[in-house]
Amino acid sequence: MFQDNSILKTSSLNSLNKNSEADILFLSELQVLNDISTLLSRHKHLAKDHSPDLFGLELAGLEEIGKHYGLESQQFKDASQILVDCLQKFADEMSDIYGGNAIIEVVTVKNFANPFVRKTRSILESVQISNPGSPYNLAYSYNFEYAVVFNIVLWIMIGLALAVIAISYNLWNMDPGYDSIIYRMTNQKIRLD
């Protein structure tokens, strides 16, 4: 951050303090934006390689300034304005580097504290009761013949699978000249008298 093209030298900090940890985090994120555009402007062949480039950055420094100073503070307002200016400058430079073929998208998210929350339910809170005899929303009990039907279907499936395997094995290893009656009847030798 203390180089020649530093964000500290190119932007006016106004009420931001370069000794505060939250401010340094915010300014270092802006420095990354500046470094990306500077690097690509020096090495334009990286942008002209006929493959799309994607730069995904998460800037959390503004949120830290908001937590540190408050959302209504002058530091937060100055940081917001500096961020808008830097993003506009970054978008203009990317558009120039890529010859107008650049899409810049900025997504703001208010809070990352609980991004994924699983809501649990209890069977005791159920309003709709599918089985009127039970207050716990349980499924109906199975018929007594369930075990019999299950065993019949299971063993028929196992038997058919074994039959298919045995038939496939025998057909694979069959010699058509000796094992098949079709070839024996159609391949008779002509008798010459």
Side-chain angles (χ1 to χ4, degrees):
M1 270 191 19
F2 298 103
Q3 302 136 354
D4 293 336
N5 61 348
S6 173
I7 198 78
L8 296 173
K9 295 178 182 176
T10 58
S11 299
S12 62
L13 300 181
N14 296 338
S15 60
L16 294 179
N17 183 4
K18 61 182 177 181
N19 295 327
S20 172
E21 186 176 337
D23 297 353
I24 289 175
L25 173 67
F26 174 71
L27 294 171
S28 65
E29 291 174 347
L30 296 182
Q31 184 65 43
V32 169
L33 282 176
N34 191 19
D35 290 344
I36 290 172
S37 61
T38 303
L39 178 73
L40 283 175
S41 64
R42 284 186 197 152
H43 305 284
K44 291 192 184 239
H45 67 279
L46 295 174
K48 308 290 184 198
D49 59 354
H50 301 293
S51 63
D53 298 329
L54 175 69
F55 302 103
L57 302 170
E58 178 182 341
L59 306 176
L62 188 64
E63 182 181 359
E64 291 299 319
I65 287 179
K67 287 178 184 176
H68 187 68
Y69 296 112
L71 297 177
E72 299 298 323
S73 66
Q74 186 62 36
Q75 288 87 353
F76 184 78
K77 291 177 185 175
D78 289 342
S80 299
Q81 186 59 42
I82 292 171
L83 178 63
V84 167
D85 294 341
C86 285
L87 286 175
Q88 185 62 46
K89 180 182 172 194
F90 180 75
D92 292 340
E93 289 175 355
M94 286 293 140
S95 181
D96 290 340
I97 291 169
Y98 285 96
N101 293 328
I103 297 175
I104 312 298
E105 181 177 0
V106 177
V107 179
T108 58
V109 180
K110 291 196 179 213
N111 192 359
F112 280 114
N114 294 323
F116 300 111
V117 176
R118 182 174 183 263
K119 296 184 180 185
T120 59
R121 294 184 289 164
S122 172
I123 60 171
L124 299 176
E125 296 174 0
S126 175
V127 177
Q128 180 184 8
I129 298 175
S130 60
N131 187 359
S134 173
Y136 295 117
N137 192 20
L138 300 175
Y140 290 103
S141 59
Y142 290 112
N143 193 351
F144 290 114
E145 295 177 359
Y146 174 75
V148 174
V149 173
F150 176 78
N151 273 305
I152 290 172
V153 170
L154 174 72
W155 291 109
I156 286 176
M157 286 175 45
I158 291 173
L160 286 174
L162 291 174
V164 167
I165 290 171
I167 291 169
S168 299
Y169 177 78
N170 287 331
L171 284 175
W172 194 338
N173 295 319
M174 181 177 76
D175 185 11
Y178 295 108
D179 296 339
S180 174
I181 193 168
I182 296 171
Y183 290 107
R184 244 189 264 159
M185 299 302 290
T186 59
N187 198 12
Q188 291 183 4
K189 296 179 182 177
I190 299 173
R191 293 183 184 176
L192 297 172
D193 289 331

